[in-house]
Amino acid sequence: MPAVARLSVCATVLAGATVLAASPTAWADIVPGGEGTGSETQVDGSKGEQSVSATAGAVVFERSKNGSGPSVGPVAAATNWTPPACYYAPKYTPEQLKKVKEPIWEAGSTGYQWDAEQRDKYVNGHPYKDFNKEKAGEGYWWDSYVTPGREGDPGALDCEEDAFWVDTGDDPPADIPQAITPEVLAQLAYAEIRVPTTEVELRPQEATKVNLPTWAWLDGTDFKPVSVTASVPLLGVEATTTAEPVSVKIDPGTADAQTYPASGVCEAADGRIGEPYEKGKADETPPCGVKYLRSSGDGSYQLKATVTWKIHWTGTGVAGEQGLPDGNFGGEQDVVVQEIQAINR
C-alpha cells in the first residue's frame, strides 16, 4: 500500500488526538500512544516566551537559552543540508498498537493484501506475534512523527517504515537513519534555533558620505551564543545544539563601494563583530565597514549584513563537541549616501 495512503488512514484513526498542558514533573508519566501521551503534541508553560519545554511526539524541546523577541528567525544551513522532516521514536505499547491497527484492518479500506500482510507481520509471528504482548513493559513500538513546521515538506514522507519494536535499553536499528539518536535530536534542535535579525550599527548614523569610511559593528548583547536542547525523556537521551556568531558579511548594495576588510567578511573577536566607532577615529580605517564611492541620490542603498553562525552539539554518550553545518541569517537596511567630501564628527 502506498505510504501516502497509509499515512492518511492512520491520520483518520488518530484524529481524536488532543493538546494537553503538562507540568515538568509529569514527563516521567508519559508513555507512547493513548490519551495524554508522548504521541500527542504537548505544551508546558509559557510557550509564547519560547523558554519552555514542548513536545512533538516523543521529543521535548527546552528553549530557555534560545534567541527570543520579535526580531528573531531561524538560521538556514549554509549548504543544501536540512534537519530531518520526519523521525522515528517510541509511540505505542503492544496494547496501543493493537488498538490502532485492528480498526484499520477491519475497515477493509486498505485492501485485503495489505491487511493480510500486516496481520502476518504483527499477529502471526512473521516476525512479531500478537503485537509483542509478551514483551509489554520491556520496550515500545517505534513509529514515525513529522517534525513540527515540516508537515507540507516532501521529506515528511521519507519515513515509510512500518512500526518496529525496540527493547528498552537497545539502540534503534542502524539501517533506519531517521530513528531517534542523540545526533538526530541535535539535528531536530538545529531547526528550533532562533537568532536575531542582522542590523548592523553604522557611524555616521543618519547618512554617510561619499568617500568617507563608515564603521559597522554588531551589538554584542544581541549577538551571543544561543542553544536548544532536544530530549526524549522516555529513553533518557538528549542533545544540545548551540549556535555561535563567527562573522558577518557586508554587502553594500552597490558595486560602487569598498568594504573593510576587502572580502566584506568581518570576523568575530573578543566577543564582538566589528568595533564601535569612537570620537577621534574619523581618519582611521574601520576594522569592519564600508566606503561608498557614489551618492545614493534621492534614494538609498540596501546594505545587507549576513551573520554566519557556527553550530555544534553535545549529547548523551557523545565525547566532545560535534559539528553541524554552519547557519546563516541576514537582514537589510537602508543607507543614505550624500555627495559631501568631508564632515566633522
Side-chain angles (χ1 to χ4, degrees):
M1 180 183 181
V4 175
R6 292 202 302 272
L7 288 171
S8 177
V9 170
C10 290
T12 301
V13 173
L14 299 176
T18 58
V19 177
L20 303 173
S23 67
T25 57
W27 295 121
D29 299 326
I30 293 177
V31 294
E35 294 184 0
T37 69
S39 68
E40 299 164 358
T41 299
Q42 303 192 28
V43 176
D44 166 29
S46 54
K47 181 180 178 183
E49 297 178 0
Q50 298 187 4
S51 62
V52 298
S53 299
T55 69
V59 177
V60 178
F61 295 107
E62 206 286 309
R63 302 181 178 90
S64 64
K65 297 180 180 179
N66 202 11
S68 60
S71 67
V72 300
V75 292
T79 65
N80 60 2
W81 176 87
T82 57
C86 64
Y87 60 91
Y88 296 94
K91 200 166 191 177
Y92 305 112
T93 64
E95 188 61 36
Q96 289 165 348
L97 183 64
K98 177 180 179 180
K99 289 181 179 179
V100 168
K101 292 289 187 181
E102 286 188 338
I104 297 174
W105 301 337
E106 291 170 1
S109 58
T110 51
Y112 172 81
Q113 181 178 350
W114 186 78
D115 291 350
E117 291 173 353
Q118 289 276 295
R119 289 180 187 273
D120 196 49
K121 181 174 185 177
Y122 292 107
V123 180
N124 299 333
H126 302 103
Y128 306 111
K129 185 176 181 179
D130 197 19
F131 298 99
N132 258 10
K133 285 183 180 179
E134 76 281 0
K135 284 194 169 186
E138 300 176 11
Y140 292 101
W141 289 104
W142 288 41
D143 207 348
S144 62
Y145 296 88
V146 175
T147 305
R150 303 287 295 279
E151 292 80 1
D153 193 314
L157 299 178
D158 288 346
C159 297
E160 296 182 327
E161 296 288 337
D162 286 334
F164 54 89
W165 181 266
V166 179
D167 286 335
T168 300
D170 284 357
D171 292 330
D175 61 348
I176 302 180
Q178 302 98 332
I180 282 295
T181 61
E183 183 175 6
V184 172
L185 285 173
Q187 295 172 1
L188 293 173
Y190 187 117
E192 298 297 315
I193 290 287
R194 298 293 181 267
V195 296
T197 297
T198 308
E199 183 168 337
V200 294
E201 296 284 342
L202 298 174
R203 292 295 185 278
Q205 187 173 19
E206 299 301 328
T208 190
K209 314 300 175 184
V210 170
N211 292 324
L212 183 69
T214 298
W215 291 57
W217 69 94
L218 294 174
D219 188 338
T221 60
D222 292 332
F223 288 85
K224 57 186 178 182
V226 297
S227 65
V228 171
T229 296
S231 65
V232 180
L234 192 68
L235 301 177
V237 296
E238 68 174 27
T240 298
T241 299
T242 301
E244 300 180 68
V246 294
S247 65
V248 61
K249 181 174 179 59
I250 303 293
D251 179 350
T254 173
D256 294 317
Q258 176 183 338
T259 57
Y260 304 99
S263 65
V265 178
C266 306
E267 304 288 346
D270 301 323
R272 66 187 183 193
I273 301 178
E275 181 181 323
Y277 173 79
E278 295 179 1
K279 188 175 181 179
K281 292 185 175 182
D283 295 327
E284 296 183 18
T285 299
C288 183
V290 60
K291 179 169 69 176
Y292 286 96
L293 308 178
R294 188 184 299 273
S295 166
S296 60
D298 294 332
S300 62
Y301 294 123
Q302 288 287 303
L303 182 146
K304 183 175 182 179
T306 302
V307 172
T308 294
W309 297 77
K310 182 178 180 59
I311 301 181
H312 56 82
W313 67 277
T314 58
T316 304
V318 177
E321 294 180 353
Q322 307 296 312
L324 285 169
D326 289 348
N328 293 327
F329 192 64
E332 294 183 345
Q333 58 200 93
D334 294 331
V335 178
V336 175
V337 182
Q338 297 175 344
E339 193 69 66
I340 299 176
Q341 299 301 317
I343 184 172
N344 294 321
R345 299 194 186 186

